[in-house]
Amino acid sequence: MTLLRELVDASERVGSTASRRSKVAEIAALLRELQPDEIDVGVAFLAGETRQGRTGIGYSLIESARVAAASSPGLELRSVNRTLDQIAGTAGRGSIAERTRLLTELFAAATEREQAFLVR
């Protein structure tokens, strides 16, 4: 089980250095720590994408779902991916409200740093 915090930490370390060698070392270290079923998710997140492609999450939905951040990290990478799967699969009548609910719950479980990462 990998916490989103670990991926956020690695992403921040990669972004804070100009050294290509350091960037590669940070990414490699993170990838070695991921469980096999987390690798695709972790790689996508590090690339600034999601595995779901279009999720129906836009600026307006993000702003509607903003809530106070969690005080301590506990959000798992798999959980984030499952929530994004649910959001992407939500369609039809009431889908905007359901997407907002799901995203609000995700943001509520995320620390400030994790929320900022997810928004990006």
Side-chain angles (χ1 to χ4, degrees):
M1 159 192 88
T2 303
L3 295 179
L4 179 61
R5 182 205 69 218
E6 297 171 58
L7 191 128
V8 171
D9 290 346
S11 176
E12 288 177 355
R13 287 190 301 269
V14 167
S16 71
T17 183
S19 167
R20 183 178 174 133
R21 181 173 294 173
S22 294
K23 289 177 189 288
V24 169
E26 285 293 341
I27 292 170
L30 174 69
L31 293 177
R32 280 192 295 274
E33 296 300 317
L34 296 177
Q35 299 297 314
D37 64 334
E38 298 172 329
I39 293 172
D40 288 347
V41 176
V43 169
F45 283 6
L46 285 172
E49 299 179 9
T50 65
R51 293 180 62 229
Q52 293 76 16
R54 291 183 179 246
T55 58
I57 300 173
Y59 179 77
S60 179
L61 183 65
I62 289 170
E63 289 305 309
S64 297
R66 289 284 183 123
V67 292
S71 59
S72 60
L75 194 54
E76 296 177 20
L77 198 54
R78 289 181 193 134
S79 172
V80 174
N81 189 58
R82 276 192 303 273
T83 299
L84 293 176
D85 279 342
Q86 288 177 304
I87 292 170
T90 301
R93 187 176 202 163
S95 62
I96 293 172
E98 180 64 5
R99 285 188 193 120
T100 303
R101 183 189 70 76
L102 290 166
L103 192 58
T104 300
E105 288 177 3
L106 180 62
F107 282 163
T111 63
E112 284 185 43
R113 290 176 53 235
E114 292 168 338
Q115 282 184 3
F117 180 85
L118 291 169
V119 167
R120 285 191 311 273

